[in-house]
Amino acid sequence: MHKLSKILLLMVFTTAVNATSEEQMIEESKQSIKQFSQQLKNKLQQAMKVGGPVEAIHVCQAVAEQISNKVSEQFGWKIARTSLKVRNIKNTADAWEKKVLQDFQRRTKKGEAVEQLEFSVIIDASNSQPVFRYMKAIPTQGICLSCHGEQLSTDVAEKIHQQYPDDQATGFKPGDIRGAFTITRNIK
Ligand code: HEC
């Protein structure tokens, strides 16, 4: 075979391998997020039914953390939630996440559905090992409004304010981007 075509073939092959593994990582990310969000929503719905939003506050808090730890452990990478307007400062977006969230906002203004918004990248830091990062937008649904909506009941507002004096996560309307799931994964 001609030397050049050999090189070209090798290049195509390498790209194909990279493309598949990134695709695979995106697919796996989606699945872990699906698990996380379904478990969270079930727990939230149960708690709301039993004790109303005041009692359910701990679900979006402790249970979210538990599920996130469990899912992170199960898949071997970090999965968390973030937003441009956070309730818990521990969930504050880093510089990359902030940019992606801002881009999600622009994309919805251009007509993309919040449910479809995702973004991924492989960061190839020269000295360390490459890292795969993935984000998927979280839409605001009806069930979220009693704690993240425009008007909270006095008891919910009080309890939230007690625990999160710097809360920014209210004023959302159905269909708004509430935030995003964010995955960070070292590539072996
Ligand atoms: C019963 C109250 C309650 C309901 C209902 C609720 N949340 Fe939350 N949410 C909270 C609390 C409390 C936190 C802070 C959790 C923590 O300490 O990490 C939070 C945090 C979050 C975060 C992490 C970013 C941040 O602001 O700290 C996201 C994303 C989020 N909620 C999305 C939702 C979505 C989407 C829904 C609806 C499906 C929802 N929440 C319903 C109370 C609630």
Side-chain angles (χ1 to χ4, degrees):
M1 201 187 294
H2 193 276
K3 197 173 173 199
L4 183 64
S5 28
K6 259 192 202 161
I7 294 173
L8 282 177
L9 198 67
L10 189 71
M11 276 170 65
V12 170
F13 181 69
T14 321
T15 327
V17 167
N18 282 341
T20 331
S21 58
E22 187 172 2
E23 239 165 58
Q24 206 176 324
M25 286 190 286
I26 291 173
E27 199 42 50
E28 288 169 358
S29 301
K30 278 189 190 164
Q31 284 187 9
S32 64
I33 287 170
K34 211 172 182 182
Q35 258 193 41
F36 185 175
S37 68
Q38 262 168 8
Q39 286 182 28
L40 190 59
K41 211 171 154 198
N42 289 347
K43 295 267 184 207
L44 197 61
Q45 270 167 344
Q46 272 170 23
M48 295 274 272
K49 224 190 252 169
V50 176
V54 175
E55 296 308 314
I57 288 173
H58 80 280
V59 173
C60 222
Q61 191 177 13
V63 177
E65 205 177 316
Q66 272 168 27
I67 298 175
S68 149
N69 289 343
K70 212 177 87 194
V71 174
S72 299
E73 220 172 82
Q74 178 187 344
F75 289 92
W77 62 75
K78 191 176 154 244
I79 175 167
R81 297 183 306 167
T82 187
S83 173
L84 289 173
K85 297 204 294 176
V86 291
R87 174 151 293 166
N88 187 335
I89 47 166
K90 280 204 271 177
N91 299 327
T92 304
D94 67 20
W96 181 80
E97 289 166 334
K98 214 167 260 174
K99 268 216 223 124
V100 175
L101 284 164
Q102 283 163 348
D103 196 49
F104 282 172
Q105 303 276 22
R106 275 192 289 272
R107 286 166 61 184
T108 44
K109 287 208 182 93
K110 285 193 190 149
E112 278 188 66
V114 179
E115 293 76 17
Q116 305 296 324
L117 293 171
E118 59 174 353
F119 187 75
S120 72
V121 73
I122 292 177
I123 298 163
D124 196 356
S126 49
N127 294 330
S128 61
Q129 65 153 92
V131 172
F132 168 79
R133 297 197 75 174
Y134 174 87
M135 282 175 78
K136 182 162 179 40
I138 305 172
T140 308
Q141 298 168 280
I143 188 178
C144 321
L145 299 179
S146 49
C147 297
H148 295 296
E150 294 182 293
Q151 213 136 42
L152 308 195
S153 69
T154 325
D155 47 351
V156 172
E158 263 174 22
K159 192 161 175 196
I160 287 175
H161 186 72
Q162 266 171 22
Q163 297 185 34
Y164 307 94
D166 299 320
D167 179 34
Q168 302 172 57
T170 54
F172 290 90
K173 292 188 282 298
D176 282 349
I177 301 175
R178 170 59 191 94
F181 290 102
T182 175
I183 285 182
T184 312
R185 178 174 173 178
N186 289 338
I187 303 170
K188 281 164 200 123

